[in-house]
Amino acid sequence: MKTTRPVLRRLALVSATAASAVLLAACGGNDSAGHTGHNSPSGPAASPRASAPSGAHNAADVAFAKGMIPHHRQAVEMAGLAATQAASSQVKELATTIMKAQDPEITTMSGWLTAWGEQVPGKTSEDHSGMTAMPGMDHSAMPGMMGAKEMDALKKKSGKDFDASFLEMMVAHHRGALRMAGTEKAEGAYGPAKTLAESVIKGQSAEITRMNKLLGKG
């Protein structure tokens, strides 16, 4: 009887050790499954790093906003002249439509730049075209932008002469905006900016058609 008890103790110890090993193996198996088994959606393929966050933007988005803000400002300035200088009620109505569409877009794009830590283009009194002055940026070289001489000439016109010049200039201006918006759609990453670009293309394409009809070209 004395020899039986030590043997029983050893058997119990071996059994306990084996049970612990089984338990640890089971835990290890669960951990592995968490990475490669049916829990694989939480693995690398579903990691937030695998896809760009919804708020991601790139250099094309920044360029679009920095370019389109002064571009819109010039269009709004041109449209503002129509209230007192245009002869046609249709031209005045069109000018109002342009201002109502582009003013809020300027605010929206300025908000993006601020959120991205970028400089928002600002107006200067020295630039007679009503544009912004940013180091290294030649606004007259932007698609559809009017130079200071063209803006000064428009400001001096009235009646039918103003209407014709306004429509011709705004058609060219809108076409430039379409080019900028097309670049954003093709190269941008920020969803809201690409959506705005699509809106610009749709809205301003329709306005070009309308203006060409008023010019007798439609």
Side-chain angles (χ1 to χ4, degrees):
M1 296 296 293
K2 291 182 180 180
T3 58
T4 303
R5 290 179 180 177
V7 171
L8 291 175
R9 289 196 188 98
R10 285 195 295 272
L11 288 173
L13 180 60
V14 170
S15 298
T17 303
S20 298
V22 171
L23 179 61
L24 289 173
C27 291
N30 288 339
D31 181 66
S32 175
H35 291 286
T36 58
H38 31 259
N39 291 328
S40 59
S42 64
S47 171
R49 296 180 183 178
S51 59
S54 60
H57 68 281
N58 62 13
D61 298 314
V62 174
F64 173 68
K66 285 190 174 184
M68 195 61 82
I69 286 173
H71 203 273
H72 272 21
R73 281 182 180 149
Q74 187 177 70
V76 169
E77 181 184 9
M78 292 166 63
L81 300 174
T84 57
Q85 295 171 229
S88 169
S89 60
Q90 291 177 298
V91 170
K92 291 181 179 182
E93 181 185 351
L94 174 66
T96 299
T97 299
I98 291 171
M99 292 176 70
K100 286 182 177 180
Q102 298 195 24
D103 250 338
E105 291 175 352
I106 292 171
T107 300
T108 296
M109 291 184 285
S110 296
W112 294 342
L113 291 175
T114 298
W116 298 337
E118 299 285 347
Q119 181 182 355
V120 178
K123 294 181 180 179
T124 63
S125 58
E126 291 80 8
D127 190 341
H128 298 294
S129 68
M131 290 301 96
T132 60
M134 292 184 67
M137 182 175 286
D138 179 9
H139 293 297
S140 63
M142 290 168 58
M145 289 289 282
M146 301 298 123
K149 290 182 178 179
E150 293 170 297
M151 290 298 294
D152 287 341
L154 183 65
K155 291 175 184 178
K156 295 174 182 177
K157 295 181 179 181
S158 62
K160 292 183 179 181
D161 191 24
F162 173 87
D163 292 348
S165 294
F166 172 81
L167 292 171
E168 291 282 3
M169 290 170 66
M170 194 63 80
V171 166
H173 201 271
H174 274 24
R175 284 175 176 159
L178 296 185
R179 288 175 55 190
M180 295 166 68
T183 299
E184 169 59 22
K185 281 191 64 180
E187 302 177 10
Y190 188 56
K194 292 169 78 70
T195 298
L196 189 147
E198 178 61 37
S199 178
V200 167
I201 292 172
K202 183 178 179 180
Q204 296 198 23
S205 292
E207 289 172 356
I208 288 173
T209 299
R210 183 179 175 186
M211 289 187 285
N212 278 331
K213 287 182 178 179
L214 291 174
L215 287 166
K217 299 179 180 181

